[in-house]
Amino acid sequence: MTAYAELRAQLETLTTEAFRPELAEIDRLSTLDIARTMNAEDATVPAAVAAQLPRIAAAIDAIAERMARGGRLVYAGAGTAGRMGVLDASECPPTFNTDPADVVGLIAGGPSAMVKAVEGAEDSPQLAAEDLAALRIGPDDTVIGISASGRTPYAIGAVESARGRGALTVGLSCNAGSALAAAADHGIEVVVGPELLTGSTRLKAGTAQKLVLNLISTITMIRLGKTYGNLMVDMRSSNEKLRARARRIVALATGAPDEEIEAALTATGGEVKNAILVVLGEVDGPAAAELLAASRGHLRAALAHARTR
């Protein structure tokens, strides 16, 4: 069997690659009917994610434990899967004020692959190993391999290399019984079924990956104390809109008048979490910073300590 024939045989066994004869004449439908069909397909994705929530939650607890020790979260994938990882990683600094090195997205072929396919990159587990070696991945880190098929060599190579370095590993795929899930400490298989367009895994599979990565990064950051209730108290105020949002968050958390909020933000250099502690804990800016440092950034714990001073 030729390499091409072997790959074709593999693809024909994958749910994500299955052909749907009932949609063979979808191009004959009206635009509205195609939109309705596609929307109905998308509506099935959350249920597929829900079926994996216990596995997702277990992975998050393990990730948060390592990140609390200073570890990093690294996503690794090719094509759409890689882009989803890079997207999620890039949104963590402005949302949670993380260092860009704390959550990293690796895409097969490097940054240029975000906008243009890099031929052959996804087929190289060695390339994944080199990318992880450059990051000096270690036991406190987590590497999440992402692949709709669950067979992408780059994603599997990333997980296998990370395990060899003692890191926690997660395999996120959209096919049951995937090689990626089998290679990882935590296998998450969100089976969304065949795509509207045969093999176009940027559709339901891509949506499923986005939902799962939202869960992983958001809940991990909640566990790390990056929020206060459902407020983004560690956000970075880098423009006028975000500065206005920062003031609103302090107001929602404290109920304080505008003058007190402005004074608290001034006293803390614009840090939302610190400003809330100044108002609710009735401490000054330097004391707020000390309490938060002692509480490892957890505002509720810092408030408890402030009230017992």
Side-chain angles (χ1 to χ4, degrees):
M1 182 181 289
T2 66
Y4 167 75
E6 183 178 351
L7 177 57
R8 180 177 175 180
Q10 288 180 17
L11 293 178
E12 288 178 350
T13 68
L14 301 177
T15 304
T16 49
E17 299 288 332
F19 173 66
R20 299 179 61 180
E22 75 275 18
L23 297 177
E25 297 192 5
I26 193 171
D27 56 327
R28 293 176 178 269
L29 299 179
S30 70
T31 298
L32 179 57
D33 283 341
I34 295 174
R36 284 173 173 154
T37 301
M38 189 169 177
N39 182 243
E41 289 289 305
D42 291 341
T44 67
V45 176
V49 173
Q52 291 293 303
L53 288 179
R55 291 178 178 271
I56 294 168
I60 291 169
D61 284 338
I63 293 166
E65 179 184 340
R66 282 160 177 75
M67 292 196 78
R69 300 199 298 259
R72 296 163 293 173
L73 174 59
V74 179
Y75 300 127
T80 296
R83 293 182 188 101
M84 289 297 175
V86 172
L87 172 63
D88 198 74
S90 68
E91 290 177 342
C92 286
T95 307
F96 302 111
N97 201 23
T98 58
D99 187 293
D102 290 343
V103 184
V104 179
L106 297 176
I107 182 169
S112 64
M114 285 293 293
V115 293
K116 184 179 180 180
V118 177
E119 298 299 329
E122 73 171 61
D123 296 326
S124 175
Q126 180 59 35
L127 180 59
E130 292 171 2
D131 287 345
L132 293 184
L135 291 176
R136 297 183 178 179
I137 293 298
D140 285 338
D141 298 321
T142 300
V143 173
I144 301 181
I146 313 167
S147 165
S149 68
R151 59 158 300 280
T152 306
Y154 182 87
I156 296 172
V159 164
E160 291 177 340
S161 176
R163 287 194 77 170
R165 292 173 171 271
L168 177 74
T169 57
V170 179
L172 171 58
S173 75
C174 294
N175 281 292
S178 68
L180 178 59
D185 298 305
H186 295 265
I188 300 170
E189 297 175 325
V190 184
V191 182
V192 295
E195 299 286 5
L196 181 92
L197 300 179
T198 304
S200 182
T201 52
R202 72 181 185 89
L203 300 177
K204 289 190 297 184
T207 300
Q209 291 162 7
K210 179 70 169 86
L211 291 176
V212 173
L213 297 186
N214 279 350
L215 287 166
I216 289 173
S217 59
T218 302
I219 300 174
T220 295
M221 295 303 160
I222 289 173
R223 287 285 165 259
L224 293 175
K226 295 289 187 179
T227 65
Y228 179 62
N230 64 341
L231 297 175
M232 297 185 295
V233 293
D234 250 346
M235 59 171 285
R236 184 173 297 165
S237 302
S238 56
N239 58 44
E240 285 303 319
K241 181 189 77 172
L242 294 179
R243 280 187 280 274
R245 181 178 289 165
R247 282 156 177 75
R248 182 167 183 268
I249 288 172
V250 177
L252 288 169
T254 65
D258 290 346
E259 304 79 31
E260 189 175 356
I261 290 170
E262 289 299 328
L265 284 167
T266 298
T268 59
E271 294 288 342
V272 173
K273 186 187 289 184
N274 299 49
I276 293 171
L277 185 54
V278 165
V279 175
L280 295 182
E282 299 180 349
V283 296
D284 60 20
E290 290 176 9
L291 286 165
L292 282 166
S295 301
R296 302 183 71 178
H298 289 260
L299 180 53
R300 288 193 190 277
L303 277 168
H305 291 150
R307 288 165 178 161
T308 60
R309 284 162 68 98

